[in-house]
Amino acid sequence: MSLPAKAAPRVFSGMQPTGNLHLGNYLGAMVRWVEMQNSHDCIFCVVDMHAITAAWQDPVDLKNQTRAVTAAYIAAGIDPKRSILFNQSQVPEHAELAWIFNCVARLGWLNRMTQFKEKAGKDRENASVGLYAYPNLMAADILAYRATHVPVGEDQKQHLELARDIAQKFNHDYAESLAAAGFPDGFFPLPEPVIMGPATRVMSLRDGTKKMSKSEPSDLSRINMTDDADTIAKKIQKAKTDPEPLPSEEAGLASRPEADNLVGIYAALDGTTKAKVLQQHGGAQFSTFKKALVELAVSHIGPVNAEMSRLLGDPAEIDRILGEGARRAKAIAGPIVDQVKDIVGFLRS
Ligand code: ATP
Ligand code: MG
């Protein structure tokens, strides 16, 4: 069976309000989002339903974090007039479609997900069912809009592959019903990950083998988009490194994860490549390179941080933007999920 090749291009992506956004979220995903607004219809979501899957979230904090992440999106350059910007829980179609996908995805597929293994750790029996089913909800987030492109960091690649498997199995399982409903080529597009740039996997500042994360307990492991200049300087100065000076060529970063990470961050902030950064800084000691990196990071994060604080001064306006975005999102997802219900055989009267 051929798949709906002519699906109109549409971008969907989201972040969890599990804590402060950090440089990894910004460089790995958000920079791409801002660019893609120029070429695509974009839908950006604050995925609050995902945020309660791993650890219990204080309800007051969760609301405030949802507002803070929204402010960070806007401060980084997401235009809520041009793009659709909303929080997931205000559009119930995500949860409805996720249930159907719970019945499409196979246990064996979910058992392979490395994010679940990492987040559940050794105490798997005590992990929430929601953490396990997270990738099905993520597939629903994307496919409720029949989105075709998903700009994310490298860590989400496996979940995107699962979303494609779910779309394909749905198209296959309901082929007859789809043909009768006028979709002989399948209903869902196979969404493509957009993983690009020199910092698709920003690593922890304390351990170059672990990714930078919002949910990592040590705040020194990440640079938050809300950190002030002194905090950014302190964290970069304390960042783990090795004793060698920087190499002059990229190959010299191969077995040096911490050096590779700092050079990658520099390149992404400067809009260049690691090779070019090393042309300029090769042979330098980390003490010198870190000073240049602090300056660059502060010059990028400072203005975003200031704009975020300004926006957070008016929480009612942020809530209004999210409400308006949710109405626009529902206008797209509502008819799509209604069609899915018809295809699956749920009566609607
Ligand atoms: P959590 O620890 O709660 O999972 P997180 O830091 O992983 O938080 P998410 O909200 O899960 O952030 O992810 C939001 C987006 O940021 C996704 O597109 C994800 O791929 C991207 N991302 C997260 N961490 C990194 C990183 N270290 N480097 C590059 N991209 C990242
Ligand atoms: Mg994550």
Side-chain angles (χ1 to χ4, degrees):
M1 183 183 63
S2 62
L3 293 168
K6 285 191 255 354
R10 180 178 278 151
V11 167
F12 179 96
S13 199
M15 305 219 185
Q16 307 184 66
T18 37
N20 285 320
L21 291 195
H22 52 74
L23 203 55
N25 303 133
Y26 180 71
L27 297 175
M30 204 163 333
V31 170
R32 223 58 345 96
W33 297 9
V34 174
E35 282 168 7
M36 290 183 93
Q37 292 185 112
N38 297 324
S39 51
H40 291 77
D41 286 336
C42 295
I43 303 173
F44 298 118
C45 190
V46 183
V47 288
D48 48 6
M49 288 158 64
H50 284 279
I52 60 169
T53 56
W56 184 85
Q57 303 283 327
D58 179 88
V60 174
D61 289 350
L62 182 57
K63 285 185 183 171
N64 286 331
Q65 275 304 135
T66 299
R67 293 187 182 108
V69 170
T70 307
Y73 284 9
I74 300 171
I78 301 301
D79 176 354
K81 291 209 177 68
R82 210 157 28 130
S83 300
I84 296 178
L85 171 51
F86 72 108
N87 59 311
Q88 186 185 27
S89 60
Q90 291 208 68
V91 180
E93 280 76 4
H94 291 241
E96 289 186 300
L97 188 58
W99 180 258
I100 295 171
F101 288 172
N102 282 343
C103 304
V104 173
R106 307 288 92 185
L107 279 184
W109 299 359
L110 290 170
N111 284 340
R112 289 197 289 272
M113 296 297 113
T114 54
Q115 177 175 287
F116 176 77
K117 288 179 199 161
E118 278 165 21
K119 289 198 171 177
K122 290 200 178 71
D123 197 10
R124 276 176 79 135
E125 294 293 307
N126 206 26
S128 79
V129 176
L131 184 65
Y132 187 74
Y134 176 118
N136 295 346
L137 176 58
M138 179 167 157
D141 297 336
I142 299 162
L143 293 170
Y145 303 90
R146 297 168 94 196
T148 54
H149 295 80
V150 187
V152 283
E154 166 86 35
D155 60 309
Q156 292 301 322
K157 192 164 175 235
Q158 194 184 35
H159 289 163
L160 252 297
E161 278 157 16
L162 187 94
R164 293 166 66 87
D165 289 344
I166 289 175
Q168 192 150 28
K169 183 162 163 55
F170 181 94
N171 287 340
H172 176 268
D173 289 356
Y174 292 100
E176 251 177 63
S177 173
L178 283 169
F183 299 100
D185 296 331
F187 185 71
F188 288 120
L190 306 190
E192 274 179 39
V194 181
I195 301 172
M196 279 168 19
T200 55
R201 188 175 180 83
V202 176
M203 307 310 275
S204 156
L205 297 181
R206 309 300 291 163
D207 177 351
T209 63
K210 272 171 70 180
K211 90 167 187 79
M212 190 178 280
S213 275
K214 279 187 248 107
S215 53
E216 156 67 42
S218 163
D219 195 55
L220 279 177
S221 70
R222 65 184 157 257
I223 296 174
N224 301 305
M225 298 307 287
T226 47
D227 285 343
D228 61 21
D230 288 347
T231 310
I232 294 172
K234 186 181 82 184
K235 287 179 177 176
I236 291 179
Q237 273 146 19
K238 287 198 170 183
K240 188 177 167 201
T241 46
D242 55 45
E244 301 297 315
L246 281 178
S248 306
E249 292 187 1
E250 221 179 319
L253 294 171
S255 52
R256 300 175 64 187
E258 285 85 13
D260 187 39
N261 190 36
L262 295 185
V263 172
I265 292 174
Y266 192 106
L269 285 170
D270 212 22
T272 179
T273 59
K274 288 185 199 173
K276 291 227 169 83
V277 174
L278 293 177
Q279 269 170 24
Q280 200 188 340
H281 294 276
Q285 297 295 333
F286 274 107
S287 51
T288 314
F289 180 67
K290 282 180 167 181
K291 278 199 192 105
L293 182 57
V294 168
E295 222 172 276
L296 189 60
V298 169
S299 74
H300 272 74
I301 295 171
V304 177
N305 193 345
E307 179 60 4
M308 249 185 94
S309 306
R310 193 189 67 77
L311 290 164
L312 284 170
D314 189 355
E317 173 61 8
I318 295 191
D319 295 1
R320 192 200 61 76
I321 289 171
L322 290 172
E324 174 60 22
R327 272 187 292 284
R328 289 168 63 203
K330 197 174 164 59
I332 301 172
I336 291 177
V337 173
D338 279 351
Q339 275 175 319
V340 172
K341 288 179 184 169
D342 290 339
I343 290 160
V344 169
F346 292 165
L347 265 181
R348 291 193 299 124
S349 47

